[in-house]
Amino acid sequence: MIDELAGQSRLVVIGECPELLRTVEQRFAQAEVVHCNSFLAAIAELARRPARAVLASVDAASWRLPEALAGLRQVDVQTRIVLCCEPALEPLARQAGANDYVILPADGEELDQALHMPATDTAATLRALPKVARAATGEELAALAEVLGELDEPVGRLLDRLCGLLRNVFRAEAVCIKTTESAGQAGPHLSEAVLTQPIEHEGQVLGRIMLGKTPGGYQAEQAERLARYGRLTAAVLAAAKRTRQWRLQALTDDLTCLPNRRYLMQFLPDLLRRAARSRFRVTVLIFDLDDFKRYNDQFGHSVGDELIRETGQLFRRHCRKHDVVTRYGGDEFCVVFWDADQPRVAGSKHPSTAIEVLKRFREALQRHEFPALGPSGRGHLTISGGLASFPWDASDTDELLRAADAALRQAKAAGKNRIHLVGGEDGAGGERPHASPLPPETS
């Protein structure tokens, strides 16, 4: 039962690296680990049955690595690909196009993060659960399954669920669980705890379970059962913490530390539904860096990465707190501006707040000194973008993003270094500087 709830994970390990294979099998004991000697064998294995992730050992002979990764993705685009290499081969692994890479000998926590899946320590703790489940009723097991299925919920709600479960199991008048992060309650306010149990994980006290009165009082057997639930609660809290970490990693861009496109596609549809109900405005900006390929070609991809990272953080600093700045892909960013107020006058399409933010950002961009470009880089970096508003320019998420993207293309066609409004003129434009858009080469 616990294996089903925790998820039957499947990992494919490629290459002759016994130490890596042994580490994966030990750390992810809950997973099915399949070993393939070559990328060709791994492609055939994925075609037979999908896997959660592929770990590939990289050596000096892996000169056709990008083609091999492309072959894996053609079979299963959802599979996460992680490369494992010696320190000297890090540049090869970094540029090959995998989801992530780790340096050998592989560190356990790095593998956890790279694979986005639980390690043995959490799974082993959860395996203590059948000792409770064997003596449990069907109703108790169903409630327990619901708790484990909601590990990504807020901690307080998760604790409320556990309290409700414990109240039914022990027929307690009230139950309270308090932890260092939050608290949960079931029943009336607990004025006096009759039976308590500390919640401990890896030698650390996370909190305490407190039960109120029960008909006939508590017996030694029930105290022992509560101790098992203490261990279960610790395991659930640890798993919930890990789940929140995975979710945050999955929705965060590694380079800029901004929300990524996956986050945007979860956030924006919900926001538009709220905007339709409450009649407030939403404006989307898609922008990119002008002539970005030339920066990459002249200075290298590491400098290009630095420009993307600094530009994203600079824009974030000039936005309001509730506006959302995301990395859309490559050197493109998507910004969502929204105001919870009454709609504008019919026919008005001018997103004034977004324009003001853009003006401040572009002024800051002209003043900003990018260390990677040196002193001569100041004032040379420009952006082009497209603005579209809901509900005037689109009725849903896809239409809104397409409209903003079309406006971006119009801005590029008009000469770059400008922001184009759907159905309007340049809202925050400016003439391209007479100086070259790139600083002179340095020796």
Side-chain angles (χ1 to χ4, degrees), residues 1-2 126-135:
M1 172 185 173
I2 294 307
L126 286 173
R127 288 194 183 95
L129 185 57
K131 297 176 182 177
V132 178
R134 289 193 193 100

Side-chain angles (χ1 to χ4, degrees), residues 10 12-14 34-51 54 68-76 79:
R10 189 166 184 263
V12 174
V13 179
I14 305 175
V34 179
H35 178 228
C36 296
N37 291 323
S38 66
F39 278 94
L40 189 60
I43 291 172
E45 181 64 31
L46 287 181
R48 185 181 68 84
R49 185 179 166 200
V54 172
L69 299 187
L72 289 171
R73 287 205 166 93
Q74 285 181 355
V75 176
D76 188 353
T79 298

Side-chain angles (χ1 to χ4, degrees), residues 206-403:
L206 305 179
R208 186 169 293 274
I209 302 173
M210 294 167 283
L211 306 185
K213 297 177 182 179
T214 187
Y218 295 104
Q219 306 299 320
E221 179 183 349
Q222 292 170 306
E224 182 180 347
R225 193 174 193 184
L226 183 60
R228 292 197 295 267
Y229 267 104
R231 293 191 293 271
L232 166 64
T233 302
V236 169
L237 291 174
K241 181 178 180 179
R242 186 69 68 99
T243 300
R244 292 194 299 273
Q245 291 172 342
W246 298 331
R247 182 174 179 81
L248 180 61
Q249 290 174 356
L251 299 177
T252 302
D253 175 59
D254 292 338
L255 178 62
T256 62
C257 297
L258 296 172
N260 59 19
R261 185 168 184 161
R262 185 182 294 109
Y263 176 88
L264 174 71
M265 299 310 292
Q266 292 183 13
F267 168 78
L268 190 53
D270 180 64
L271 180 65
L272 295 188
R273 285 190 291 269
R274 290 164 52 197
R277 289 195 304 268
S278 303
R279 297 178 60 79
F280 62 80
R281 52 192 172 185
V282 178
T283 298
V284 163
L285 163 71
I286 295 180
F287 76 91
D288 65 12
L289 307 183
D290 292 329
D291 301 310
F292 181 69
K293 184 178 183 300
R294 294 176 61 189
Y295 284 93
N296 269 340
D297 292 344
Q298 181 173 331
F299 294 97
H301 288 277
S302 61
V303 171
D305 286 349
E306 188 65 24
L307 295 182
I308 290 173
R309 180 166 45 248
E310 289 194 48
T311 300
Q313 291 301 328
L314 186 63
F315 204 111
R316 173 65 270 174
R317 290 197 293 271
H318 285 82
C319 280
R320 298 168 302 176
K321 186 176 181 179
H322 64 276
D323 293 331
V324 177
V325 182
T326 68
R327 186 183 179 195
Y328 199 52
D331 65 315
E332 281 192 333
F333 295 85
C334 183
V335 187
V336 182
F337 303 94
W338 57 287
D339 297 293
D341 56 16
Q342 294 300 314
R344 294 164 286 174
V345 176
S348 172
K349 293 186 178 181
H350 187 66
S352 57
T353 300
I355 294 297
E356 288 304 315
V357 171
L358 279 165
K359 286 181 177 178
R360 292 198 302 269
F361 168 70
R362 287 169 59 136
E363 291 170 359
L365 189 63
Q366 289 295 304
R367 297 192 304 268
H368 189 73
E369 294 185 3
F370 291 90
L373 298 179
S376 59
R378 180 175 176 177
H380 285 274
L381 195 68
T382 62
I383 66 166
S384 294
L387 279 164
S389 295
F390 173 87
W392 291 272
D393 304 322
S395 60
D396 59 30
T397 298
D398 291 339
E399 285 185 7
L400 187 60
L401 293 174
R402 282 198 298 269

Side-chain angles (χ1 to χ4, degrees), residues 144-155:
L144 189 56
E146 287 185 13
V147 170
L148 292 175
E150 297 181 353
L151 294 178
D152 60 344
E153 293 290 333
V155 178

Side-chain angles (χ1 to χ4, degrees), residues 65-138:
L65 189 57
E67 296 179 27
L69 299 187
L72 289 171
R73 287 205 166 93
Q74 285 181 355
V75 176
D76 188 353
V77 70
Q78 299 297 327
T79 298
R80 187 169 180 81
I81 302 175
V82 177
L83 301 180
C84 307
C85 67
E86 300 292 338
L89 296 177
E90 181 180 359
L92 175 63
R94 184 174 63 247
Q95 299 174 14
N99 295 99
D100 207 342
Y101 68 94
V102 297
I103 302 298
L104 296 174
D107 176 80
E109 292 186 359
E110 289 183 355
L111 282 175
D112 297 353
Q113 295 176 2
L115 294 175
H116 291 183
M117 67 181 292
T120 300
D121 51 3
T122 301
T125 307
L126 286 173
R127 288 194 183 95
L129 185 57
K131 297 176 182 177
V132 178
R134 289 193 193 100
T137 65

